[in-house]
Amino acid sequence: MSEGAPKPIVGIIMGSASDYPTMEKAGGVLVRFNVPHEFDITSAHRTPDRMRDYAMGARERGLKVIIAGAGKSAHLPGMTAAYTTLPVIGVPIQGEHRDAPMDSLLSIVQMPPGIPVATMAINGAENAGLMAVEMLAITDERLARELNEYRKELREMVEEKARELKERNPGSPADKK
Ligand code: RP5
């Protein structure tokens, strides 16, 4: 982080560098909403002490939300949640290995009562970014306004696509409504 840069309030962590092509989409959303964030790699299995230190120090360092992505036997989101009371958003990853993404999904979503992880769809890093923004927008009016603007853009995009579709299919039943 360069001198004078705002302190990150969202931490995006992942179990391996191979998760980054998926997890960078969460960062893209945070860039759009101008939310200071950081990326890190820390593995529940390969670097358990590093993961614990990250989670235990996160609140004190000023983080408000953690987004954690992992594939295979995906313990990073759940174990991070065990070490902090910050909200943890989990992203099950089906990476280049193309192996058993349902196992990762279930590892992340099936948390025992007491330690929740807000679990996204497989490779749902974009929604993880948006979920983090929505959490921050509970107390941040700028973000709440920008989320409304974003939803408006989504609506306009669908309407534009619907118009294009009708133009390509003149006289279709949808056109007669
Ligand atoms: C998980 O194992 C990581 O989150 C990653 O999705 C997967 C494979 O890691 P690499 O072998 O590519 O480092 O812990």
Side-chain angles (χ1 to χ4, degrees):
M1 193 172 56
S2 64
E3 191 123 331
K7 275 173 62 174
I9 57 173
V10 177
I12 305 174
I13 57 175
M14 60 211 84
S16 167
S18 65
D19 299 326
Y20 181 71
T22 302
M23 294 306 287
E24 70 176 335
K25 295 188 184 90
V29 171
L30 298 178
V31 168
R32 179 207 154 115
F33 285 93
N34 218 354
V35 173
H37 58 284
E38 64 180 16
F39 282 100
D40 208 342
I41 297 168
T42 186
S43 163
H45 305 113
R46 294 167 176 158
T47 62
D49 294 346
R50 182 170 157 75
M51 177 212 66
R52 184 201 56 216
D53 292 350
Y54 185 93
M56 290 183 78
R59 185 185 291 276
E60 207 176 303
R61 287 196 304 109
L63 295 185
K64 295 185 188 307
V65 184
I66 295 174
I67 299 172
K72 292 185 181 284
S73 177
H75 291 139
L76 178 66
M79 287 308 296
T80 298
Y83 281 117
T84 180
T85 53
L86 291 177
V88 175
I89 302 168
V91 183
I93 293 188
Q94 179 185 33
E96 55 197 21
H97 311 284
R98 302 256 143 234
D99 44 14
M102 283 302 288
D103 291 0
S104 305
L105 171 65
L106 293 174
S107 292
I108 296 174
V109 80
Q110 291 283 31
M111 289 299 289
I115 312 292
V117 170
T119 307
M120 302 293 105
I122 294 163
N123 289 346
E126 190 173 336
N127 268 358
L130 284 165
M131 181 60 74
V133 174
E134 290 185 1
M135 288 173 175
L136 297 168
I138 292 170
T139 54
D140 185 323
E141 283 182 22
R142 174 187 71 83
L143 287 178
R145 273 198 310 277
E146 290 187 19
L147 278 167
N148 278 332
E149 183 57 32
Y150 170 78
R151 294 284 178 100
K152 185 167 162 256
E153 282 173 31
L154 284 185
R155 282 197 301 276
E156 287 170 355
M157 197 174 70
V158 173
E159 281 158 13
E160 171 69 24
K161 293 288 171 203
R163 262 196 306 277
E164 283 172 19
L165 193 64
K166 285 186 184 189
E167 275 166 25
R168 281 205 305 275
N169 298 278
S172 69
D175 207 27
K176 289 179 185 144
K177 281 200 179 144

